[in-house]
Amino acid sequence: MGNSFGTLFKITTFGESHGKALGVIIDGCPAGLEIDETFIQNELIRRKPGQSKITTQRRENDEFEILSGVFEGKSTGTPISLVIHNTDAKSKDYSHIAEKYRPSHADYTYDTKYGIRDYRGGGRSSARETAARVAAGAVAKLFLKKIGVDVTAYVSKVGSIQAPEYHEMDLSKTEDNIVRCPDPKVAEEMITLIDQTRKNQDTIGGVVTAVIKNTPVGLGEPVFDKLHAELGKAMLSINAVKGFEYGSGFKGVEMYGSEHNDLFYNEEGKVKTKTNHSGGIQGGISNGEDIYFNVAFKPVATIMKDQPSIDKAGDEATVSGKGRHDPCVVPRAVPIVEAMAALVIADFFLINKSSKLSD
């Protein structure tokens, strides 16, 4: 089922939405890294359900436990395993769809592929699986802090409401509001839209933008393992993601090469570019400039309205919206995007150590 991600800094996640627990095994974390458990817990709190009026009201503390790989507060170089117990699963909320296929969910595809599915909250296909990713990503972030790399994400769009470009805002204000948009005025508009959508028993999509600063030059492995390709894979593996673009993205097609080319210059012995349409990556390799990209999330598939569908027998059926679900997933997706980005950069940093003999 593709439960593992990464090459040297590698993770394997396990668990279901309504199972006993979720967890992750991190293999390849270098020994001697200080494991700040408070930091890891805070990252999980940023993702956890029930944190505001515009998120699902499922109540999970998402408290984690380290089972192995850490001794006296430091990584030992052996696999780090973390587990997060489910405490507020209400499986009865899903008994009505045990034999029915919910529109735009993984019910039909899982059932057809495996001949069995866990209908309780979607089982393994649930976005609750991402709690394990965030825990692993927190460890990757701790590693990246040692080399000065900063990974930040924020909500840049909800529906048609768009925030300014990242360099026009103070990204340190991302956590100042419940929608996680650094622009206070735009954030209020987004919150109003999401809340109204919730009251209308519907859902709305949005975009999370990520910015990675101080990435060393040289990360990325041509030809097939380009840095942006792996970032794209990481983001597209997140539940509800429908699109990924980095740098100028699709807007770049409207430009001439003379406009789009990032011209090099020397700034006190350091090679820089006057513009950054490349998004910090050229030839699939980091060039030292900011890496920035957008991740598009569809509207949450579960809505609180009746929808026509079919059941396992192929007969017509009505799917009723029940349970506790997000009217818009992007506020809680911010730490997930950061986690996956951190895992990619940490992995490529270790891989790059083998790219040439030391000088």
Side-chain angles (χ1 to χ4, degrees), residues 101 106-117:
Y101 297 140
D107 300 343
Y108 168 69
T109 51
Y110 264 59
D111 212 6
T112 301
K113 182 176 177 66
Y114 298 105
I116 185 173
R117 71 179 173 97

Side-chain angles (χ1 to χ4, degrees), residues 6 32 50 55 60 70 74 100 104 106 125 218 225 234 327 337:
T55 65
E60 295 283 359
V70 178
K74 294 184 178 181
K100 299 175 183 178
S104 288
S125 69
D225 296 332
V337 168

Side-chain angles (χ1 to χ4, degrees), residues 46 75 83 123 127 194 216 263 280 343:
R46 294 174 67 212
S75 59
V83 66
I194 295 173
L263 305 181
L343 288 167

Side-chain angles (χ1 to χ4, degrees), residues 150-170:
D150 179 65
V151 181
T152 303
Y154 64 93
V155 173
S156 59
K157 190 172 186 179
V158 172
S160 61
I161 301 173
Q162 177 74 58
E165 298 296 322
Y166 82 88
H167 47 77
E168 299 174 8
M169 299 183 293
D170 181 357

Side-chain angles (χ1 to χ4, degrees), residues 35-206:
I35 304 299
D36 184 342
E37 295 192 29
T38 300
F39 176 77
I40 297 173
Q41 188 63 64
N42 286 338
E43 291 294 280
L44 286 168
I45 288 172
R46 294 174 67 212
R47 193 221 69 96
K48 77 172 185 176
Q51 57 184 268
S52 76
K53 67 178 182 179
I54 60 172
T55 65
T56 172
Q57 294 307 296
R58 179 171 175 173
R59 298 291 178 179
E60 295 283 359
N61 291 326
D62 280 353
E63 294 178 352
F64 73 97
E65 180 183 4
I66 296 177
L67 302 180
S68 66
V70 178
F71 180 67
E72 295 183 342
K74 294 184 178 181
S75 59
T76 62
T78 59
I80 299 172
S81 59
L82 301 94
V83 66
I84 304 162
H85 292 281
N86 291 324
T87 60
D88 191 34
K90 294 183 179 180
S91 300
K92 64 181 181 180
D93 287 347
Y94 298 90
S95 58
H96 67 293
I97 52 95
E99 301 294 322
K100 299 175 183 178
Y101 297 140
R102 295 170 296 171
S104 288
H105 277 273
D107 300 343
Y108 168 69
T109 51
Y110 264 59
D111 212 6
T112 301
K113 182 176 177 66
Y114 298 105
I116 185 173
R117 71 179 173 97
D118 183 349
Y119 61 83
R120 305 167 305 167
R124 184 71 175 152
S125 69
S126 169
R128 177 136 183 79
E129 174 270 333
T130 58
R133 302 186 190 208
V134 170
V139 175
K141 278 187 170 184
L142 291 171
F143 174 66
L144 293 179
K145 283 183 178 181
K146 302 290 288 185
I147 59 174
V149 176
D150 179 65
V151 181
T152 303
Y154 64 93
V155 173
S156 59
K157 190 172 186 179
V158 172
S160 61
I161 301 173
Q162 177 74 58
E165 298 296 322
Y166 82 88
H167 47 77
E168 299 174 8
M169 299 183 293
D170 181 357
L171 300 189
S172 68
K173 297 184 180 299
T174 297
E175 297 292 323
D176 288 358
N177 55 73
I178 58 176
V179 79
R180 294 197 166 100
C181 175
D183 186 298
K185 182 176 181 298
V186 175
E188 284 303 315
E189 294 177 16
M190 291 176 172
I191 292 169
T192 299
L193 175 58
I194 295 173
D195 199 35
Q196 187 59 56
T197 300
R198 178 185 61 82
K199 292 176 181 177
N200 292 339
Q201 298 183 310
D202 215 332
T203 59
I204 189 78

Side-chain angles (χ1 to χ4, degrees), residues 2-13 24-29 133 136 140 225 230-231 233-234 237 339-351:
N3 297 302
S4 299
F5 182 81
T7 301
L8 295 184
F9 197 105
K10 185 175 183 177
I11 69 167
T12 299
T13 69
V24 62
I25 297 172
I26 307 167
D27 200 5
C29 180
R133 302 186 190 208
D225 296 332
E230 198 66 14
L231 284 169
K233 177 182 177 181
S237 75
M340 294 306 297
L343 288 167
V344 170
I345 300 300
D347 193 27
F348 272 122
F349 179 84
L350 294 177
I351 292 172

Side-chain angles (χ1 to χ4, degrees), residues 256-287:
Y256 291 104
S258 54
E259 300 172 287
H260 193 271
N261 287 346
D262 295 320
L263 305 181
F264 291 108
Y265 70 99
N266 188 318
E267 185 179 86
E268 298 180 353
K270 185 176 182 179
V271 176
K272 298 183 69 67
T273 59
K274 292 185 177 181
T275 55
N276 189 21
H277 300 303
S278 300
I281 304 171
Q282 294 172 325
I285 301 170
S286 60
N287 66 1

